[in-house]
Structures are given as structure tokens and as C-alpha cells.
Amino acid sequence: MSYTYKYPRPALTVDTVVFGLDVDNNKWLVLLVERGGEPFKGKWAIPGGFVNVGESVDDAALRELEEECGVKKVFIEQLYTFGAPDRDPREHVVSVAYLVLVNIKDQQIIAGSDASRAEWFPVKSLPKLAFDHQKILAMAKKRLQGKIRYDPLGFELLPKKFTLTQLQNLYETILDTPLDKRNFRKKVQAQGILRDLGEIQKNVTHRAAKLYSFDKRAYRKVVKSGGHFSF
Amino acid sequence: MSYTYKYPRPALTVDTVVFGLDVDNNKWLVLLVERGGEPFKGKWAIPGGFVNVGESVDDAALRELEEECGVKKVFIEQLYTFGAPDRDPREHVVSVAYLVLVNIKDQQIIAGSDASRAEWFPVKSLPKLAFDHQKILAMAKKRLQGKIRYDPLGFELLPKKFTLTQLQNLYETILDTPLDKRNFRKKVQAQGILRDLGEIQKNVTHRAAKLYSFDKRAYRKVVKSGGHFSF
DNA sequence: CCAAAAGTGTTCAGGCTACACCCATGT
DNA sequence: ACATGGGTGTAGCCTGAACACTTTTGG
């Protein structure tokens, strides 16, 4: 079976930049898949695939994520569309890139899937990537770094229950800069969007920290009343 | 002639939201074209058209802008990609939307072109739009309102030489909020990115204001030294 | 008792807001 | 002279930055 059109069409794909955080070692991670076929066979790439006709581009991104890496129920947001005609050596392929954030602990189900292997890499030491994926990834990094300051995205990378130190480590890791502990805590707590769970860490070899969760409800209230988040 | 593919492909288009500013009447304007054919014949729409194979998506946007409205040499930036399968009643059409800013005075060459009429509409009183163009326009408005605060985009909407009052009016018009004159001037001038041209307005019936231009060179210096613009 | 991380306040400087009057020009 | 917009300074407030010690817990 085949499909014919009056004018030629570029192919349309989605690519999903999936970020995670190694909370214990403070490493910013990205999920890559090894390409099983040409071109760039054996090279690492951002997961992605073709958009089906009749399927929204957003849905295609979600579908590919699940098919290729078993990733489900995640934060996803459109990043940018890459449309240079030579970005794929075979033909003109336009790709809509997405930024995806996951809590690694929830997603240990990764890797096993399709033909291709999936693996987490530290953003700071990446292999050479296929296509223009280096460029896409660079943009995704910049976007996250920019947006995390004024949008409570970061929580997507943490477990549901987290300590203030973990939250601070997250910001320090993504922004690649040290932050003052007291100032950080004051500022975060002043926002009124953390719920103190009344629980503490278990199995730590030192004073146990209080556990918090992100209070989405409170956050929406803040936004509605004209306020806004800023880490 | 026709083109055949193994799998069906969505069509790919670009849509360009072109904003202008009526400096004399402080009106935020958008350029629309009247559709000459079905669907939505006779309705107003955002200018746009199909992406050619072998042509980058950005280039397609520039080409359509010029073909359809005679708009040339402008600020352009990718906005978002709209990919719902039902956004065009004929078939699945994915559209990459662009945000375009022009100085109306430079672009009086508009309107005359292609088959379709082009016309400026005040953003505050728009006709019903074709397709999902209402949604695209809403997004473009929000993007400009958001970005104008921390990126010196606004200058693209003004003539090369402008007064501080015109600049303030621009911000008040786009942000839809009144601003304090003294504070505005202090803040803007503190950024050090305006060049005092040593000229004054002509043909005004009151004290003539000094003319300024945006100093791109100085701006880049500020950015390089870690600073940033904020209106 | 030692190691390791949790938790907590104050001071200072710079930026933001609010606010009102005189100036230059054309008619 | 008057109408119209152009142009200017100050004081209070709030926010952000710098900075060090005590507490809790497990080993």
C-alpha cells in the first residue's frame, strides 16, 4: 500500500528529550537510545519517531515515548520544531522536539522496549549524537535552565516526597551554580507551595530531614491571585 | 505529476502572526489576509502556506510572508507547532507558527500581493478567524507580552528613531497597563542601550522630544557581560 | 564523642514604587 | 497667554545577598 500526493511533503517526526535527575549523586541525566538501523547505526540518539496521520503531534510524542522507552505519565512540553532540509541525510524530515521531565524512581521500567537499547547519560558527558540531536539537546538544556527559575517544573524531577536539601541540590545541579542554603530555604518556603508532610527521612546516617511535597493546589491559588513562582 | 510515499504524511504548513504598532494611536495591530478559497472562504486568517520539500521551515515562513503580504526584512521567531489532526477540515495539516514583528512605517508596501487582500486589524477587535487561528493568535499575544519584558523585542515595532514617550506607549499598549513616566525613563536609560541621537522631533505642536535609537551594539555588550535587559 | 547533614536570623545595599512640578514650543 | 506634552528627583519599602553556629542522629 502507498500514498500519493500532488505535491511532495517533508516527513514529520517527533523527538523527545527526556531529562531525569540522579537525586543521590546530583547528576543531570538524559535518556538516549542506540540506533538499530541506518543512518547513524550504533550511534546514540534522542528517542523519537514518525507522526501518524490523524494523530496529534503531542500524542505522537507520548506514543513514541512509551513504545521506545516505556516512559509513561510524565511532564511534557513542546520545545521547538527543527526544519532544516539537510538534518536527515535521507530526505527532508521536519521534527517537532519535546521536553520531557521524569522522576527516575517512578520510571525504572525504562530501557526494556522496542529493538533499541535505552540508557541514561549524564548531560555533562555525552556520546556523539546522531543527526542534529546535539543541537536539540542544547536547546532543551537551555530551556529547562531558563524555565526552572520561574515555573515549578523542577518538582517533576524529584520523588513525590523530598527534602529541602534535595530540592536545593536540584536547582544547583540544573543551574550549575551553588546557592546559599538559608536564602534558598527562606525563599522557597515564602512561596507557600510546599506541603510539610510531618514525616522525616528514614535510614539516613545523620539527623533526618523533614519531607515535603509540592502543593499543586496552593500553587494554582498563588497563580490565580496574580502571584508567580520564582525559585 | 505526483509523489508517492509508503506511509501517509500530514501536510506541513507555516503560519505567521505579524504584529505591528500604530504609534500615533497606540493600537496593537495584527496583519490578516482574507481567504480566497475554501475552506473558510471570505474569512480572515493568519498568512501562511505550505512548506516546500528542501526548503527550511524558517525559509518557508519568510517566503510566504513576502509572497502573501510583501513583508520583508523583519524580526521573526518560531512560536509553536500546532498539530491537532482536526485543525483543518480537509486533512491532517500540521502548522509551524511564527511570531513576526514589523515597523509599520517601513512596511506600507503591504496589502498588494497574491490573490488575497491583506489588512491590519487592532488586536483588541478582531473578526472571527479561520481554522484554529484564534488559538494561534492568542498564543502569539501571550508570547510577545511575556517576552517584551526581558528581551528588547519592542524596538522592532517602532521606527528607527523614536522618543521615550513612544517607547513607553509601546509597553503600555502591549502590556495593557499604565506605567509611571519617571520610573520608566530612569529604568530604560539605566540599561544603557539607547543611543541619544542629538536630534529632536519635527512638526509637533508642543515641546519637541529628543530622538533615540536602539543601540544593538551596546545591548550585545551588556548581554556578554552577564547583564540582561528588562524593560 | 565524632561525623554528617539539618536547621535557623540579622544586617546591608540596591532596586522598585509612589508621587508633583517646571520647561519648551507652537498657536 | 495658554495648551500640550517633555522632562526631572527624592524618600520609603521591599527584596536579594552575605554570612556562622547550634541541633539531631547514627556509628
Side-chain angles (χ1 to χ4, degrees), chain B residues 157-171:
Chain B
L157 294 166
L158 290 178
K160 286 212 179 67
K161 303 175 178 189
F162 53 83
T163 69
L164 292 181
T165 299
Q166 285 172 338
L167 185 60
Q168 181 175 347
N169 286 339
L170 158 66
Y171 277 91

Side-chain angles (χ1 to χ4, degrees), chain A residues 46 126-139:
Chain A
I46 295 165
L126 293 174
K128 292 264 179 254
L129 299 183
F131 305 106
D132 57 352
H133 288 187
Q134 188 69 40
K135 208 167 128 193
I136 296 177
L137 188 48
M139 192 154 188

